[in-house]
Amino acid sequence: YSDMKPDNLLVFRSMEIKIGDLGMSVKMDCRIKNGDQEHYKAKGYTPGFIPNAIKQKFENPDNFLLSRNEMIKADIYALLLTF
């Protein structure tokens, strides 16, 4: 997804959670089988809701690509901060 934060989560009384604001979402390329291959351009992350490793990538434009695994870990990290 790449922009997980409280403002983009809809929580219902039934405790169901839906993701909103898909403007910054990233479509995964199913042809890339290695989850550690850095292929996706980092964009749309909110600084308070990303791990330090990804913050450092934003600061270094030469290393601006993320792997699928890094993006998933970033979303999980943001969810843990939210709840």
Side-chain angles (χ1 to χ4, degrees), residues 9-65:
L9 298 174
L10 308 169
V11 182
F12 296 88
R13 288 186 184 126
S14 64
M15 300 305 291
E16 181 180 22
I17 299 172
K18 293 189 178 187
I19 299 171
D21 190 9
L22 299 173
M24 288 293 183
S25 62
V26 175
K27 183 177 181 180
M28 296 290 165
D29 188 338
C30 63
R31 295 171 295 178
I32 298 175
K33 302 300 180 195
N34 181 353
D36 292 321
Q37 180 181 345
E38 293 180 335
H39 176 77
Y40 303 98
K41 184 175 180 184
K43 63 177 186 171
Y45 286 100
T46 302
F49 291 92
I50 59 174
N52 287 331
I54 293 178
K55 283 182 191 175
Q56 291 171 356
K57 288 194 174 201
F58 272 103
E59 295 167 3
N60 181 1
D62 295 332
N63 190 18
F64 203 61
L65 295 178

